[in-house]
Amino acid sequence: MLRKLGLSAIAGAALLTSIMSAQAQTAVKFALDWKYEGPSAPYFVALDKGYYKAEGLDVTIDTGPGSVAGIARVAAGTYPIGFFDINSLARFRDQNPDKDVKAVLMVYDKPPFAIVSIAKSGINAPKDLEGKILGAPAPDGAFAQWKAFVKENKIDDAKVKIENVGFPVREPMLADGKVDAITGFSFSSYFNLLAKGIAEKDIKVMLMADHGIVLYGNAIMVNPEFAKANPKVVAGFVRATIKGIIDTAKDPDAAIKSVMKRNETGDEKIELARLKMSLKDNFITDWVKANGVGGIDDKRMSDAIEQIAVTYEFKNPKPKAGDLFTSDYLPPAGERKL
C-alpha cells in the first residue's frame, strides 16, 4: 500500500510539473513580413528544434502584409514582435514620435532591394532605366529607396515613367512586357518570374546595394511596452532566432523542410533556391561572417540614415542609430558567430 501511494505521489508530481511547465511558456505572436517562403526558414527551424520552447516561449508565426505596412502592427501591439524593414521604421518613427519601436536583431545585413528586368528590355546598368517604364507598388520597400538610388547613380528620373502596380500583378506585368522593369525583393521577384515561365538566363536582377545603397534591410523589431515589461522574453526570442539562422545557414536543405510543412502548395525546389539566394546575398555577408549574426555597424547605420533622408523629408530631427536599433537583447558575439 505504501509503495502504491509512493508511486501515485510521483505520478502526481510529474503531472503537476508538466502542467506548471506548460503554464510557464509565454505566448508570443510573431509577424513575418510576407508569406511562408524560403527566407522565413530560420524562424520555423527555431520552432521545430525547440529553441523558442527552451527559452520558455510559445511562439506563433503569422504571415505579414509586406516589409513596410507591418510596422504599425508592432507599434499597436497587435504583434509584439515582427520582421520588417528598418529603413521604413525610420520614417514610421518620424511620423509617430510617440511610438518608440526599435529593432533588436538585424537579419538582412544586405537588403534585397532590387530592380528586376528581362533581358529584352536592355537594362544592364542603372542609367539604362532612362526611357523605360518602371512598375513599382507604392508600399514596396524597394521602391521606397528609389530617390536615393537615382541620386547615387545619376539617373534622370524625369526620363523614367513610374507606374503604380499591385503586388500580385507586378511580375506578371513584367513577364507580359507591360512594364520594362520592376522594383522588389530580389529573391521574391526572381522566382516569381521563373514561375511565370521566364527563362533563368533572361532574368536580370540589379541589387541596389551593389549600386551605392548602404542601407540595411529587414530586422526583428519589438513593441516598446512589451519589451519594457518582458526583457527576458525579447532576449530569449532573439537568442533562439539567432540559433535558427545559424542552423539554416549550415544546412539550408534541411531547414527548408520546416517551411514546406507550413506551405503545402509551395514548390520545395523553388523555395530552397530562394532560401539559398537570400542566405548568400542578404543574411550571410562578409561583415556577418566576421562579426556574427544580428548586430550592426553604427557608422554604417548613420550613413544609412543620411541616405534615407534623400528619399524622405524628416519632420523631426533625424534619428540616430540608437533610436532605430538596440543591441541590449543580443547575446555575446561568441554565441552569434557562424
Short mmCIF file of all heavy atoms in Angstrom, two decimals, residues 32 34-38 40-52 58-63 254-268 271:
data_model
loop_
_atom_site.label_atom_id
_atom_site.label_comp_id
_atom_site.label_asym_id
_atom_site.label_seq_id
_atom_site.Cartn_x
_atom_site.Cartn_y
_atom_site.Cartn_z
N LEU A 32 5.68 37.79 -39.64
CA LEU A 32 6.62 37.88 -40.75
C LEU A 32 6.27 39.09 -41.61
O LEU A 32 5.21 39.70 -41.44
CB LEU A 32 6.54 36.61 -41.61
CG LEU A 32 7.00 35.29 -40.98
CD1 LEU A 32 6.67 34.13 -41.90
CD2 LEU A 32 8.48 35.34 -40.66
N TRP A 34 6.04 38.71 -44.92
CA TRP A 34 5.36 38.23 -46.11
C TRP A 34 4.91 36.79 -45.88
O TRP A 34 4.56 36.43 -44.76
CB TRP A 34 6.31 38.36 -47.31
CG TRP A 34 5.70 38.28 -48.68
CD1 TRP A 34 6.10 37.48 -49.70
CD2 TRP A 34 4.60 39.04 -49.20
NE1 TRP A 34 5.33 37.69 -50.82
CE2 TRP A 34 4.40 38.64 -50.54
CE3 TRP A 34 3.76 40.02 -48.66
CZ2 TRP A 34 3.38 39.17 -51.35
CZ3 TRP A 34 2.76 40.57 -49.46
CH2 TRP A 34 2.58 40.15 -50.78
N LYS A 35 4.96 35.97 -46.91
CA LYS A 35 4.43 34.62 -46.84
C LYS A 35 5.44 33.63 -46.25
O LYS A 35 6.57 33.98 -45.96
CB LYS A 35 4.02 34.17 -48.25
CG LYS A 35 3.00 35.09 -48.92
CD LYS A 35 2.79 34.69 -50.37
CE LYS A 35 1.85 35.66 -51.07
NZ LYS A 35 1.68 35.33 -52.51
N TYR A 36 4.97 32.38 -46.11
CA TYR A 36 5.85 31.31 -45.66
C TYR A 36 6.70 30.85 -46.85
O TYR A 36 6.36 29.91 -47.56
CB TYR A 36 5.05 30.12 -45.13
CG TYR A 36 4.21 30.41 -43.90
CD1 TYR A 36 3.12 29.61 -43.57
CD2 TYR A 36 4.50 31.49 -43.06
CE1 TYR A 36 2.36 29.85 -42.45
CE2 TYR A 36 3.73 31.74 -41.94
CZ TYR A 36 2.66 30.92 -41.64
OH TYR A 36 1.89 31.17 -40.53
N GLU A 37 7.79 31.54 -47.06
CA GLU A 37 8.69 31.23 -48.17
C GLU A 37 10.08 30.90 -47.64
O GLU A 37 10.34 31.01 -46.44
CB GLU A 37 8.75 32.40 -49.15
CG GLU A 37 7.42 32.67 -49.84
CD GLU A 37 7.47 33.82 -50.84
OE1 GLU A 37 8.34 34.71 -50.69
OE2 GLU A 37 6.63 33.84 -51.76
N GLY A 38 10.98 30.54 -48.55
CA GLY A 38 12.31 30.09 -48.16
C GLY A 38 13.01 30.94 -47.11
O GLY A 38 13.52 30.41 -46.11
N SER A 40 12.00 32.58 -44.72
CA SER A 40 11.43 32.52 -43.37
C SER A 40 11.88 31.26 -42.62
O SER A 40 11.48 31.05 -41.46
CB SER A 40 9.89 32.56 -43.43
OG SER A 40 9.37 31.43 -44.13
N ALA A 41 12.72 30.45 -43.23
CA ALA A 41 13.14 29.18 -42.64
C ALA A 41 13.72 29.29 -41.22
O ALA A 41 13.40 28.46 -40.36
CB ALA A 41 14.15 28.49 -43.56
N PRO A 42 14.58 30.30 -40.91
CA PRO A 42 15.20 30.31 -39.58
C PRO A 42 14.20 30.29 -38.42
O PRO A 42 14.47 29.67 -37.39
CB PRO A 42 16.00 31.62 -39.59
CG PRO A 42 16.34 31.84 -41.02
CD PRO A 42 15.13 31.37 -41.78
N TYR A 43 13.06 30.95 -38.59
CA TYR A 43 12.07 31.01 -37.51
C TYR A 43 11.40 29.66 -37.31
O TYR A 43 11.17 29.22 -36.18
CB TYR A 43 11.03 32.10 -37.80
CG TYR A 43 11.68 33.37 -38.30
CD1 TYR A 43 11.57 33.77 -39.62
CD2 TYR A 43 12.46 34.15 -37.44
CE1 TYR A 43 12.20 34.92 -40.09
CE2 TYR A 43 13.10 35.30 -37.89
CZ TYR A 43 12.96 35.66 -39.23
OH TYR A 43 13.60 36.78 -39.69
N PHE A 44 11.11 28.98 -38.41
CA PHE A 44 10.48 27.67 -38.31
C PHE A 44 11.46 26.61 -37.84
O PHE A 44 11.09 25.66 -37.15
CB PHE A 44 9.85 27.29 -39.65
CG PHE A 44 8.71 28.19 -40.03
CD1 PHE A 44 8.77 28.97 -41.17
CD2 PHE A 44 7.57 28.27 -39.24
CE1 PHE A 44 7.73 29.81 -41.53
CE2 PHE A 44 6.52 29.11 -39.58
CZ PHE A 44 6.59 29.87 -40.72
N VAL A 45 12.73 26.78 -38.18
CA VAL A 45 13.77 25.89 -37.66
C VAL A 45 13.86 26.06 -36.14
O VAL A 45 13.90 25.07 -35.39
CB VAL A 45 15.13 26.19 -38.31
CG1 VAL A 45 16.27 25.49 -37.56
CG2 VAL A 45 15.13 25.73 -39.77
N ALA A 46 13.87 27.30 -35.68
CA ALA A 46 13.93 27.57 -34.23
C ALA A 46 12.70 26.99 -33.52
O ALA A 46 12.80 26.50 -32.39
CB ALA A 46 14.03 29.07 -33.99
N LEU A 47 11.56 27.03 -34.21
CA LEU A 47 10.33 26.48 -33.64
C LEU A 47 10.41 24.96 -33.58
O LEU A 47 10.17 24.35 -32.53
CB LEU A 47 9.14 26.92 -34.50
CG LEU A 47 7.74 26.76 -33.91
CD1 LEU A 47 7.55 27.63 -32.68
CD2 LEU A 47 6.69 27.12 -34.97
N ASP A 48 10.77 24.34 -34.71
CA ASP A 48 10.77 22.88 -34.78
C ASP A 48 11.87 22.24 -33.93
O ASP A 48 11.70 21.11 -33.45
CB ASP A 48 10.93 22.43 -36.23
CG ASP A 48 9.68 22.71 -37.07
OD1 ASP A 48 8.63 23.00 -36.47
OD2 ASP A 48 9.76 22.64 -38.31
N LYS A 49 12.98 22.94 -33.76
CA LYS A 49 14.07 22.38 -32.95
C LYS A 49 13.93 22.69 -31.47
O LYS A 49 14.79 22.30 -30.67
CB LYS A 49 15.42 22.90 -33.47
CG LYS A 49 15.82 22.29 -34.81
CD LYS A 49 17.29 22.54 -35.12
CE LYS A 49 17.74 21.77 -36.34
NZ LYS A 49 19.18 21.94 -36.61
N GLY A 50 12.87 23.38 -31.12
CA GLY A 50 12.61 23.66 -29.71
C GLY A 50 13.42 24.79 -29.12
O GLY A 50 13.48 24.92 -27.89
N TYR A 51 14.03 25.64 -29.96
CA TYR A 51 14.84 26.73 -29.43
C TYR A 51 13.98 27.77 -28.71
O TYR A 51 14.39 28.31 -27.68
CB TYR A 51 15.64 27.40 -30.55
CG TYR A 51 16.67 26.51 -31.20
CD1 TYR A 51 17.06 26.71 -32.52
CD2 TYR A 51 17.28 25.46 -30.50
CE1 TYR A 51 18.03 25.91 -33.13
CE2 TYR A 51 18.22 24.64 -31.10
CZ TYR A 51 18.60 24.88 -32.41
OH TYR A 51 19.54 24.07 -33.00
N TYR A 52 12.83 28.08 -29.27
CA TYR A 52 11.93 29.03 -28.59
C TYR A 52 11.39 28.41 -27.30
O TYR A 52 11.33 29.07 -26.26
CB TYR A 52 10.76 29.41 -29.51
CG TYR A 52 11.14 30.25 -30.70
CD1 TYR A 52 10.77 29.87 -31.99
CD2 TYR A 52 11.87 31.43 -30.55
CE1 TYR A 52 11.12 30.64 -33.10
CE2 TYR A 52 12.23 32.20 -31.65
CZ TYR A 52 11.85 31.80 -32.92
OH TYR A 52 12.20 32.56 -34.00
N ASP A 58 6.18 30.20 -26.21
CA ASP A 58 5.23 29.50 -27.07
C ASP A 58 4.96 30.43 -28.25
O ASP A 58 4.07 31.29 -28.19
CB ASP A 58 3.94 29.19 -26.30
CG ASP A 58 2.89 28.52 -27.15
OD1 ASP A 58 3.24 28.02 -28.24
OD2 ASP A 58 1.70 28.50 -26.75
N VAL A 59 5.74 30.29 -29.31
CA VAL A 59 5.73 31.26 -30.42
C VAL A 59 4.77 30.84 -31.53
O VAL A 59 4.77 29.69 -31.98
CB VAL A 59 7.15 31.42 -31.01
CG1 VAL A 59 7.13 32.32 -32.24
CG2 VAL A 59 8.09 31.99 -29.94
N THR A 60 3.95 31.79 -31.95
CA THR A 60 3.07 31.63 -33.11
C THR A 60 3.60 32.53 -34.22
O THR A 60 3.83 33.72 -33.99
CB THR A 60 1.62 32.04 -32.77
OG1 THR A 60 1.15 31.24 -31.69
CG2 THR A 60 0.71 31.84 -33.97
N ILE A 61 3.79 31.97 -35.42
CA ILE A 61 4.35 32.72 -36.54
C ILE A 61 3.28 32.93 -37.60
O ILE A 61 2.74 31.96 -38.14
CB ILE A 61 5.56 31.99 -37.14
CG1 ILE A 61 6.63 31.74 -36.07
CG2 ILE A 61 6.15 32.79 -38.30
CD1 ILE A 61 7.79 30.87 -36.53
N ASP A 62 2.98 34.18 -37.90
CA ASP A 62 1.96 34.50 -38.89
C ASP A 62 2.56 35.21 -40.10
O ASP A 62 3.62 35.85 -40.00
CB ASP A 62 0.88 35.41 -38.28
CG ASP A 62 0.03 34.68 -37.24
OD1 ASP A 62 -0.04 33.43 -37.31
OD2 ASP A 62 -0.55 35.35 -36.37
N THR A 63 1.88 35.13 -41.23
CA THR A 63 2.31 35.86 -42.43
C THR A 63 2.07 37.36 -42.21
O THR A 63 1.39 37.76 -41.27
CB THR A 63 1.52 35.39 -43.67
OG1 THR A 63 0.11 35.57 -43.40
CG2 THR A 63 1.80 33.94 -43.98
N ALA A 254 18.05 21.01 -45.13
CA ALA A 254 17.24 20.50 -44.03
C ALA A 254 16.26 21.58 -43.54
O ALA A 254 15.10 21.29 -43.23
CB ALA A 254 18.14 20.04 -42.88
N ALA A 255 16.73 22.82 -43.50
CA ALA A 255 15.91 23.92 -42.98
C ALA A 255 14.64 24.14 -43.80
O ALA A 255 13.59 24.47 -43.26
CB ALA A 255 16.74 25.21 -42.94
N ILE A 256 14.73 23.94 -45.11
CA ILE A 256 13.57 24.23 -45.96
C ILE A 256 12.40 23.30 -45.63
O ILE A 256 11.23 23.65 -45.87
CB ILE A 256 13.94 24.12 -47.46
CG1 ILE A 256 12.91 24.89 -48.31
CG2 ILE A 256 14.05 22.68 -47.90
CD1 ILE A 256 12.86 26.37 -48.05
N LYS A 257 12.69 22.14 -45.06
CA LYS A 257 11.63 21.21 -44.68
C LYS A 257 10.68 21.85 -43.66
O LYS A 257 9.48 21.59 -43.68
CB LYS A 257 12.22 19.93 -44.08
CG LYS A 257 13.21 19.20 -44.98
CD LYS A 257 12.57 18.65 -46.22
CE LYS A 257 13.57 17.85 -47.06
NZ LYS A 257 12.99 17.39 -48.34
N SER A 258 11.23 22.69 -42.79
CA SER A 258 10.40 23.34 -41.78
C SER A 258 9.44 24.35 -42.40
O SER A 258 8.35 24.59 -41.88
CB SER A 258 11.29 24.05 -40.74
OG SER A 258 11.95 23.10 -39.92
N VAL A 259 9.84 24.94 -43.52
CA VAL A 259 8.95 25.87 -44.22
C VAL A 259 7.86 25.11 -44.96
O VAL A 259 6.68 25.46 -44.88
CB VAL A 259 9.75 26.73 -45.24
CG1 VAL A 259 8.80 27.64 -46.02
CG2 VAL A 259 10.81 27.56 -44.53
N MET A 260 8.26 24.05 -45.65
CA MET A 260 7.31 23.34 -46.50
C MET A 260 6.22 22.64 -45.69
O MET A 260 5.13 22.39 -46.21
CB MET A 260 8.05 22.32 -47.38
CG MET A 260 9.12 22.94 -48.28
SD MET A 260 8.63 24.50 -49.09
CE MET A 260 7.27 23.93 -50.12
N LYS A 261 6.48 22.36 -44.42
CA LYS A 261 5.44 21.81 -43.56
C LYS A 261 4.28 22.78 -43.40
O LYS A 261 3.15 22.39 -43.13
CB LYS A 261 6.03 21.49 -42.17
CG LYS A 261 6.84 20.22 -42.12
CD LYS A 261 7.71 20.14 -40.89
CE LYS A 261 6.94 20.25 -39.59
NZ LYS A 261 7.82 20.07 -38.41
N ARG A 262 4.59 24.09 -43.56
CA ARG A 262 3.55 25.12 -43.40
C ARG A 262 3.09 25.68 -44.75
O ARG A 262 2.20 26.52 -44.81
CB ARG A 262 4.09 26.29 -42.57
CG ARG A 262 4.13 26.03 -41.08
CD ARG A 262 5.46 25.47 -40.63
NE ARG A 262 5.51 25.29 -39.18
CZ ARG A 262 6.54 24.72 -38.56
NH1 ARG A 262 7.59 24.30 -39.24
NH2 ARG A 262 6.50 24.56 -37.24
N ASN A 263 3.71 25.26 -45.82
CA ASN A 263 3.38 25.77 -47.16
C ASN A 263 3.23 24.58 -48.11
O ASN A 263 4.10 24.32 -48.93
CB ASN A 263 4.47 26.73 -47.64
CG ASN A 263 4.14 27.36 -48.98
OD1 ASN A 263 3.10 27.10 -49.57
ND2 ASN A 263 5.05 28.19 -49.48
N GLU A 264 2.11 23.90 -47.97
CA GLU A 264 1.91 22.65 -48.70
C GLU A 264 1.72 22.88 -50.20
O GLU A 264 1.88 21.96 -51.00
CB GLU A 264 0.72 21.89 -48.12
CG GLU A 264 0.95 21.43 -46.68
CD GLU A 264 -0.25 20.70 -46.10
OE1 GLU A 264 -1.30 20.67 -46.78
OE2 GLU A 264 -0.14 20.18 -44.98
N THR A 265 1.35 24.09 -50.60
CA THR A 265 1.13 24.37 -52.02
C THR A 265 2.40 24.90 -52.70
O THR A 265 2.41 25.08 -53.92
CB THR A 265 0.00 25.40 -52.22
OG1 THR A 265 0.37 26.63 -51.58
CG2 THR A 265 -1.31 24.89 -51.61
N GLY A 266 3.43 25.16 -51.92
CA GLY A 266 4.66 25.70 -52.48
C GLY A 266 5.49 24.64 -53.18
O GLY A 266 5.29 23.43 -53.00
N ASP A 267 6.45 25.10 -53.98
CA ASP A 267 7.38 24.22 -54.69
C ASP A 267 8.68 24.18 -53.89
O ASP A 267 9.39 25.19 -53.80
CB ASP A 267 7.61 24.77 -56.10
CG ASP A 267 8.51 23.87 -56.94
OD1 ASP A 267 9.54 23.38 -56.43
OD2 ASP A 267 8.19 23.67 -58.12
N GLU A 268 9.01 23.04 -53.33
CA GLU A 268 10.18 22.94 -52.44
C GLU A 268 11.47 23.30 -53.16
O GLU A 268 12.35 23.96 -52.59
CB GLU A 268 10.29 21.54 -51.85
CG GLU A 268 11.46 21.40 -50.89
CD GLU A 268 11.45 20.09 -50.11
OE1 GLU A 268 10.36 19.53 -49.89
OE2 GLU A 268 12.55 19.65 -49.72
N GLU A 271 11.56 27.10 -53.37
CA GLU A 271 11.75 27.72 -52.05
C GLU A 271 13.15 27.48 -51.51
O GLU A 271 13.72 28.35 -50.84
CB GLU A 271 10.69 27.24 -51.07
CG GLU A 271 9.27 27.68 -51.41
CD GLU A 271 9.15 29.16 -51.71
OE1 GLU A 271 9.87 29.96 -51.08
OE2 GLU A 271 8.35 29.52 -52.58
#
